[in-house]
């Protein structure tokens, strides 16, 4: 077992509810149209908004020009390092040849790119504990699209639980990720603002 897997499984050994048990319970009670995530053991449910969805779809469509559908995910649970971190990221790109674990989940070590579109109620997660968890998992490229600021924030080069490189780009300008493992330029000219 790797250090990363060990950190994810910490809850299993402590006698407290596991991510699997929490998600199983939530699946029965979550209203239709809501996204559920568990961040540092706290449960967050948020409805999908038009602005949010339009940006997600735009990112997915641009990724699809380079990557096959089977590698691009949206709102699919991946467990990350830290205390009870089960995220359903807005957009996830898994590595070529990535396989699900014995529970049917994608492994965070196989995630090459994550994009989160900010919602007012959960923005602190995307800029805080989720960013830290992505860096700890060594996700090479993390993009935050913030329709309230009208900016994208690009984080790359994870090291020791932090991203070494940070770049902010206003909506309308291109996000050049050609020097990252993603290897493409993301156009933001059609990203709506809130």
């Amino acid at each position: 077992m790797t250090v990363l897997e060990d950190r994810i499984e910490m809850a299993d050994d402590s006698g407290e509810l596991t991510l699997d048990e929490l998600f199983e319970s939530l699946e029965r009670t979550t209203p239709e149209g809501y996204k559920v995530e568990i961040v540092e053991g706290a449960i967050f449910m948020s409805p999908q908004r038009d602005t949010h969805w339009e940006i997600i779809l735009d990112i997915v469509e641009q990724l699809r020009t380079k990557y096959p559908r089977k590698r691009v995910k949206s709102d699919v649970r991946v467990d990350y390092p830290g205390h009870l971190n089960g995220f359903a990221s807005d957009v996830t790109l898994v590595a070529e040849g990535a396989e699900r674990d014995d529970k049917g989940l994608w492994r965070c070590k196989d995630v090459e790119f994550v994009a989160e579109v900010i919602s007012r109620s959960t923005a602190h997660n995307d800029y805080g504990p989720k960013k830290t968890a992505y860096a700890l998992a060594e996700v090479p490229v993390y993009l935050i699209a913030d329709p309230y600021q009208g900016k994208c924030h690009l984080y790359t080069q994870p090291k020791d639980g932090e991203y070494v490189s940070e770049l902010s780009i206003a909506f309308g300008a291109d996000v050049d990720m050609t020097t990252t493992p993603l290897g493409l330029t993301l156009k933001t000219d059609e990203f709506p603002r809130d």
Side-chain angles (χ1 to χ4, degrees), residues 63-64 66-73 92-100 106-113 140 181-182:
L63 286 174
R64 287 283 295 122
K66 182 172 181 173
Y67 298 102
R69 178 173 296 138
K70 66 182 180 181
R71 291 185 56 195
V72 181
K73 312 294 175 195
T92 301
L93 178 71
V94 296
E96 181 69 37
E99 294 182 12
R100 290 182 238 176
W106 296 101
R107 296 173 175 92
C108 64
K109 69 179 183 175
D110 292 327
V111 174
E112 293 185 338
F113 169 77
L182 202 59

Side-chain angles (χ1 to χ4, degrees), residues 167-182:
L167 180 65
S168 293
I169 304 101
F171 283 11
D174 292 349
V175 181
D176 183 355
M177 296 182 281
T178 55
T179 60
T180 73
L182 202 59

Side-chain angles (χ1 to χ4, degrees), residues 11-136:
D12 291 339
D13 299 332
S14 69
E16 65 184 47
L17 285 174
T18 65
L19 281 171
D20 290 338
E21 291 166 335
L22 287 167
F23 275 108
E24 186 177 307
S25 174
L26 289 167
E27 284 176 6
R28 294 189 299 268
T29 60
T30 303
E32 189 74 28
Y34 277 75
K35 171 181 169 175
V36 175
E37 292 188 302
I38 301 173
V39 180
E40 296 184 325
I43 298 166
F44 294 88
M45 285 189 223
S46 52
Q48 190 72 268
R49 294 178 356 269
D50 265 353
T51 299
H52 197 108
W53 173 241
E54 287 178 33
I55 295 172
I56 292 168
L57 185 58
D58 198 340
I59 294 169
V60 167
E61 287 174 340
Q62 291 185 62
L63 286 174
R64 287 283 295 122
T65 64
K66 182 172 181 173
Y67 298 102
R69 178 173 296 138
K70 66 182 180 181
R71 291 185 56 195
V72 181
K73 312 294 175 195
S74 180
D75 291 341
V76 173
R77 175 183 159 197
V78 176
D79 294 346
Y80 284 92
H83 177 71
L84 294 177
N85 282 326
F87 305 157
S89 306
D90 291 324
V91 181
T92 301
L93 178 71
V94 296
E96 181 69 37
E99 294 182 12
R100 290 182 238 176
D101 65 17
D102 57 352
K103 297 178 195 175
L105 301 174
W106 296 101
R107 296 173 175 92
C108 64
K109 69 179 183 175
D110 292 327
V111 174
E112 293 185 338
F113 169 77
V114 169
E116 296 285 8
V117 181
I118 295 300
S119 295
R120 281 195 206 283
S121 62
T122 58
H124 62 282
N125 288 337
D126 296 326
Y127 284 111
K130 288 174 81 173
K131 183 174 118 182
T132 299
Y134 294 141
L136 283 169

